[in-house]
Amino acid sequence: TAKEKGISIILDGVFSHTGADSIYFNKNGRQCTSWRKIGDDYYYFRAKTRSRGYMMTDTKKNGIRLDSDGKAILSSDRAAQKVAMMAKVSEFLDTLVKNSWSRQKQLRKVFDYMRRKIPYKFTSHFREKDKNWDIWSVNKMLKRGCGDCHPMACMFCYLANAMGFSDIRIESAKSHSWS
């Protein structure tokens, strides 16, 4: 044995880099993009190419400031709720699309999924006076798997945002919403 021969064995490995499940790739090998929760904190990842990406730092994304380590600075309850919902939506998006697809193909897949798989069902009255109505609506869609025009419009916009689209908007009137 090595010990009998006076040889010491040193294991030299870097175990915190990208492995089976890391901040850059999930356990299924999917590149992390958009908002992600790591431990108790939130970070934003951007795809540079379809196979390479990076964590954003020292900037603002979706109105939320990122510090020099890439950690989201949550300055209000609304910011905390919004980034938590965006991270949930990013995880949901992982189940629908592949990073190797073009953004147009991803958007079409999401549109088709919502049109074919999510039943249109009146879920409740629109909460226009609630400043977090968009977060509330997306949360309902994720929990119930169905919704009317308000949650559907919110969910589609949140998914488009997670894909990297930025010129998106939820329009709403008392009786109807669209994205």
Side-chain angles (χ1 to χ4, degrees):
T1 67
K3 186 175 183 179
E4 292 170 346
K5 295 182 180 183
I7 300 172
S8 297
I9 298 177
I10 300 171
L11 181 61
D12 185 10
V14 183
F15 302 105
S16 63
H17 283 60
T18 57
D21 193 13
S22 72
I23 64 171
Y24 298 106
F25 293 92
N26 69 16
K27 61 187 171 196
N28 299 320
R30 180 177 168 78
Q31 178 183 352
C32 292
T33 55
S34 192
W35 287 101
R36 300 296 166 154
K37 183 175 183 181
I38 302 167
D40 292 330
D41 299 314
Y42 294 92
Y43 300 86
Y44 190 87
F45 295 87
R46 173 170 275 164
K48 191 170 196 169
T49 66
R50 290 188 183 140
S51 62
R52 294 182 51 171
Y54 61 96
M55 183 180 0
M56 293 182 70
T57 59
D58 284 325
T59 191
K60 206 176 216 185
K61 188 66 185 168
N62 300 117
I64 297 168
R65 187 101 187 104
L66 299 168
D67 69 14
S68 60
D69 293 324
K71 181 178 162 185
I73 300 169
L74 305 174
S75 56
S76 67
D77 285 343
R78 169 144 173 87
Q81 291 173 1
K82 183 177 179 182
V83 76
M85 184 53 62
M86 288 187 291
K88 281 183 187 177
V89 168
S90 294
E91 289 176 16
F92 179 70
L93 182 65
D94 289 347
T95 68
L96 299 177
V97 302
K98 296 181 181 177
N99 282 349
S100 60
W101 295 352
S102 69
R103 285 191 338 161
Q104 267 59 35
K105 184 175 180 177
Q106 290 179 8
L107 191 65
R108 184 65 200 200
K109 173 70 175 182
V110 166
F111 176 81
D112 288 342
Y113 173 84
M114 292 192 69
R115 188 168 55 98
R116 294 180 182 146
K117 303 283 186 186
I118 307 234
Y120 186 92
K121 182 179 177 184
F122 181 75
T123 53
S124 69
H125 294 285
F126 178 56
R127 298 169 54 160
E128 66 181 306
K129 293 183 180 174
D130 184 344
K131 67 179 179 176
N132 294 326
W133 64 269
D134 57 324
I135 298 165
W136 178 81
S137 295
V138 173
N139 191 44
K140 281 177 61 174
M141 283 290 297
L142 289 172
K143 283 184 177 178
R144 295 183 179 170
C146 65
D148 54 34
C149 58
H150 302 294
M152 283 189 173
C154 292
M155 184 69 167
F156 188 77
C157 283
Y158 269 68
L159 285 163
N161 180 276
M163 285 181 268
F165 289 92
S166 57
D167 192 16
I168 51 178
R169 191 177 339 216
I170 305 163
E171 295 292 337
S172 196
K174 287 186 180 186
S175 63
H176 188 62
S177 289
W178 56 95
S179 49

